[in-house]
């Protein structure tokens, strides 16, 4: 099974990673796991700084993925990781289609505003935009 696991460095995304690890350890066939961190685009366009913005998004994505990667490495679970820029729902839907993922596993809320306390806006958008099962971990 191909699983897309969007992570943002939050406690809920770490719990989603721990859930996937537990499922992988109990499965006879290891899942094909894809970690995804979605960075928000920087506001405005400034000429001549595209390379710096790209490096900034990469560095911030690596930081956000660090805890998840550590958990997976410690558990011996294989994975690929991806960093992208855009709106969470749209980027997750793109990766689901691009990678032909069969499931999305994600936390119910990340490090976004308090307005989306119960179900984060990213998770809500993913539910509406993908045509595969979405498992939300709180």
């Amino acid at each position: 099974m191909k699983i897309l696991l969007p992570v943002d460095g939050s406690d809920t995304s770490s719990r989603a990673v721990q859930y996937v690890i537990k499922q992988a350890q109990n499965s006879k066939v290891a899942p094909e796991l894809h970690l995804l961190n979605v960075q928000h685009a920087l506001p405005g366009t400034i000429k001549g700084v595209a390379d710096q913005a790209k490096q900034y998004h990469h560095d911030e994505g690596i930081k956000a993925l660090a805890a998840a990667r550590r958990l997976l490495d410690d558990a011996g679970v294989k994975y690929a990781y991806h960093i992208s820029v855009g709106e969470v729902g749209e980027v997750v839907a793109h990766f689901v289609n691009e990678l032909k993922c069969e499931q999305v596993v994600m936390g119910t809320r990340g490090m976004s505003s308090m307005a989306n306390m119960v179900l984060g806006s990213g998770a809500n958008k993913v539910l509406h935009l993908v045509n595969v099962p979405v498992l939300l971990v709180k």
Side-chain angles (χ1 to χ4, degrees):
M1 173 175 280
K2 287 187 182 182
I3 299 173
L4 184 65
L5 184 55
V7 296
D8 62 2
S10 68
D11 289 342
T12 56
S13 68
S14 289
R15 285 193 292 275
V17 172
Q18 290 167 340
Y19 175 84
V20 169
I21 289 169
K22 191 175 197 179
Q23 295 304 109
Q25 291 171 337
N26 292 330
S27 177
K28 291 181 181 181
V29 178
E32 183 180 320
L33 184 59
H34 293 271
L35 290 178
L36 172 64
N37 176 257
V38 181
Q39 292 289 305
H40 296 287
L42 297 173
T45 303
I46 302 170
K47 282 189 170 184
V49 296
D51 289 339
Q52 291 90 342
K54 186 175 181 178
Q55 186 63 48
Y56 171 80
H57 286 126
H58 178 268
D59 293 347
E60 291 301 306
I62 292 296
K63 287 180 200 174
L65 289 166
R69 293 180 68 193
R70 207 169 19 257
L71 288 168
L72 291 163
D73 289 341
D74 290 348
V77 176
K78 294 182 182 180
Y79 62 90
Y81 71 88
H82 313 272
I83 300 168
S84 190
V85 178
E87 293 299 321
V88 173
E90 288 85 3
V91 172
V92 169
H94 169 77
F95 273 84
V96 164
N97 292 329
E98 177 97 4
L99 299 171
K100 297 183 181 10
C101 292
E102 300 163 84
Q103 184 179 34
V104 176
V105 178
M106 63 189 298
T108 54
R109 59 185 167 154
M111 299 186 336
S112 57
S113 72
M114 294 295 286
N116 297 300
M117 207 156 182
V118 177
L119 180 63
S121 63
N124 195 26
K125 286 182 182 178
V126 168
L127 284 170
H128 287 69
L129 293 174
V130 301
N131 292 319
V132 298
V134 177
L135 178 75
L136 300 175
V137 179
K138 63 179 195 171

